[in-house]
Amino acid sequence: MSEYNWCHNPDCHKIETQSRVRGTGDNKVLRTRKIALTSEWIRNSIYAYFCNQSCLHSFLHKFKQEIANIRPVKQPSETPIKVKKTKEQSYRHQWSNGQSNQVPYTSTRTTISLK
Ligand SMILES: [Zn+2]
């Protein structure tokens, strides 16, 4: 396993930041950023392939059709659930004449759980 990856955004080397400047004298270039794979977190994350969120989203935007074609979705998926509604008595604060009064009200709590 290599110890680094190059950022996969094809336009990474066109972004004008000091961190991309390489070379000397009149031979300077903007270079694609190198990503050091120094931690378990980075090796298991999308940022093993993209130097930052901006490069990740530029890549996603540029290749959105190809990405969608990797796993086409032609119909929605469904997950069976149970929906439980319970009435709960609570209080809200109401200001009147510079005093806070507790006013009772009934709310409906909706709980969703997997079947
Ligand atoms: Zn990049």
Side-chain angles (χ1 to χ4, degrees):
M1 189 172 78
S2 67
E3 296 170 19
Y4 63 86
N5 286 335
W6 295 103
C7 179
H8 280 50
N9 174 15
D11 297 322
C12 185
H13 68 287
K14 295 176 184 171
I15 301 166
E16 297 173 13
T17 65
Q18 289 193 3
S19 62
R20 291 174 171 87
V21 175
R22 294 292 181 274
T24 57
D26 292 335
N27 298 314
K28 289 194 188 300
V29 295
L30 290 170
R31 182 182 290 168
T32 300
R33 272 188 177 156
K34 184 190 272 189
I35 302 159
L37 304 175
T38 52
S39 71
E40 187 71 23
W41 181 87
I42 198 105
R43 285 190 294 274
N44 291 328
S45 112
I46 191 69
Y47 296 105
Y49 303 98
F50 299 94
C51 69
N52 61 29
Q53 253 185 4
S54 177
C55 277
L56 168 60
H57 282 270
S58 293
F59 178 91
L60 293 174
H61 180 72
K62 188 165 193 168
F63 297 108
K64 57 189 173 291
Q65 198 58 59
E66 289 89 337
I67 292 166
N69 289 342
I70 291 170
R71 188 184 171 279
V73 177
K74 302 290 184 193
Q75 61 188 36
S77 299
E78 294 180 348
T79 301
I81 58 167
K82 282 187 278 190
V83 176
K84 189 173 138 196
K85 290 189 181 277
T86 52
K87 299 260 186 223
E88 292 186 359
Q89 187 71 37
S90 189
Y91 294 90
R92 61 184 165 83
H93 289 276
Q94 186 179 55
W95 284 93
S96 77
N97 297 329
Q99 277 193 314
S100 173
N101 300 307
Q102 288 196 330
V103 179
Y105 74 97
T106 304
S107 65
T108 304
R109 180 181 295 263
T110 303
T111 306
I112 295 173
S113 58
L114 299 179
K115 269 188 182 169

